[in-house]
Amino acid sequence: MSIVIDLKTQKYDRQLRLWATTGQQALEHANICLLNVNSTGCEIIKNLVLPGVGHVTIVDDQKVTKDDIRSNFFLGSDSTDLPKARCAAELLQELNEDVKVEYVEKSPGQLIENDIDFFEPFTIIITINLTDNHLTTLASFCHNSSKTLIAGESKGLVGYFSIQAPEHRIIETHPENITDLRLNCPFQQLSDYVATFDLDSLDQTDHSQVPFVVILLKYVELWKSEHEGQSPQTYQQRQEFIKLLRADMRTPEEENFEEAISNVWRLASTTSIPSELRRLFEDSSCQNAHDNSPYFWILTRAVRDFVENEGQGQLPLSGKLPDMKSDTCNYIGLQKVYREKALSDFNAIKERVKGFNVQIPDETIELFCKNASNVRVIQYKILNENQLSPEKLVNLAKNEENFCYYIIFKAADKFKQKYGYLPSSIEDLSNLKQQAHLLMVGDMDVSTKDTQEELLKSDTFDKVLTNYIHFGDLETPNLAALVGGLAAQEAIKLITHQYIPINNTCVFNGISSTSSIYEL
């Protein structure tokens, strides 16, 4: 009987392998707003439209110019003097018929000043080249209404974007290796299963089909009997343990023993609670979890209580078993042991959840149990509210060229507020430098005059200032595509609540081909 795959599954097959149907559904329910049509903004939307985000609204009141056409692939060659928002929306709509792309021919700044409720329906608001005064107002609105805000700029060969979001809770962080075999502290069912094997009595065929988990635990017991009950911990002890395994290989190519040797490191791996998770256990949202708390915090509290009681200091077992050299019977037997333990842990946590007057789906509880060691919470800060100490800001500016570009982007915005245009010629250099000085004194609170002069006169700062002027207030399509891809990737993480997004500012430098993440 052939399996019938629906058209949507075929269309989004690759991304479904990354974030599954739950992530895809979250994308399809997202409502995105883009403020200002330029190359970077269109690249972000392109990378959200293609995977099937639900709804997009593009806001811009400007007309298309020839310079716009030269830098933006989503403005046609015949679109001069036509509304930017309409032209971009029409071409972006062609990328995916599943997405609804609309446009509004209004000034983003005027909407922010006079009709802030316009943004109420949106889940994520993306701004490009928005002035700081408007961004501050919008950031405050998004903070109060629990909306995600992504603000960015791109000029020449450098661009950046910053993220503001409500408390971001992630269950599926997708770490590279989450296999928990408990080899350094086997649970009773696993010890009982291992005890059923007598390696010495097995013939050559059966001996070569024993799972490496069983081999390791068998030989660990032998090691403990000769080393006062201690398993091999140091590097030298593990090397001696490996020699013990090699000595008992019946053939030089016995794959299961080779697997055991390559997994000896697991004997020393810790199964203690990760520091990130301990911080969550100590968080007031966990300690004071109640019926109306988000599912995440109720489940965190249930896992914490499990660890302190039934778990005996251990997290719930995921039950996942890696591929290994073994016959079907042995592998299924071992798999059954791990799955039964995982089910037992799941049921214990489920009982604890019942202590809250809330219905959490079994699938969500199971997902949390499987990922408990890697769950994350990110507390984003409000954009344009500097949270760094002057000392840290000065240290970044002295040692990080990419951070200097971030400062210049902000200084250029102040320049525009004063002079009505962005700095783009060598005559603007001194005034831009003055605005950078005012930015340090005002927004960044760098009050020491010597420090200000030291920064402004440094070679790095001079180079960054000169490069920004040379960019000439122009976007380059390749850099816009790259920054747009980076920002869209983070937006997808935020929408799907999968993988770990940045916190909170990314600067990409196309001159040196480097990127930097700053928590500002």
Side-chain angles (χ1 to χ4, degrees), residues 267-279:
L267 297 175
S269 64
T270 178
T271 54
S272 60
I273 309 302
S275 58
E276 289 277 352
L277 186 56
R278 285 199 178 278
R279 279 194 284 271

Side-chain angles (χ1 to χ4, degrees), residues 12 75 93 162 195 223 240 244 256 287 296 311 316 324 352 384 408 439 468 479 487 510:
Y12 298 125
L75 297 174
Q93 178 66 80
S162 299
W223 176 277
E240 292 177 14
L244 180 63
N256 55 341
Q287 295 180 355
F296 182 95
M324 60 186 71
R352 292 194 170 276
N384 281 15
I408 295 305
L439 181 72
Y468 186 91
L479 198 284

Side-chain angles (χ1 to χ4, degrees), residues 183 193-194 197 199 210-219 334:
L183 295 182
Y193 177 75
V194 171
F197 285 80
L199 299 182
V210 177
F212 79 79
V213 171
V214 175
I215 295 171
L216 284 175
L217 291 177
K218 277 287 187 184
Y219 279 84
L334 185 61

Side-chain angles (χ1 to χ4, degrees), residues 309-356:
N309 294 279
E310 305 97 317
Q312 299 179 332
Q314 301 294 325
L315 290 171
L317 191 69
S318 67
K320 184 179 180 181
L321 203 61
D323 292 335
M324 60 186 71
K325 178 67 176 178
S326 173
D327 59 22
T328 303
C329 182
N330 285 337
Y331 187 83
I332 290 176
L334 185 61
Q335 190 177 57
K336 183 180 178 183
V337 170
Y338 277 93
R339 285 184 175 177
E340 286 179 351
K341 171 60 175 170
L343 180 60
S344 173
D345 291 351
F346 161 77
N347 286 329
I349 290 175
K350 184 178 176 181
E351 284 300 312
R352 292 194 170 276
V353 171
K354 288 181 180 178
F356 296 87

Side-chain angles (χ1 to χ4, degrees), residues 68-88:
D68 293 327
I69 294 172
R70 279 192 285 266
S71 64
N72 193 336
F73 292 124
F74 293 96
L75 297 174
S77 58
D78 57 350
S79 59
T80 306
D81 295 329
L82 295 177
K84 268 190 189 181
R86 189 185 80 194
C87 295

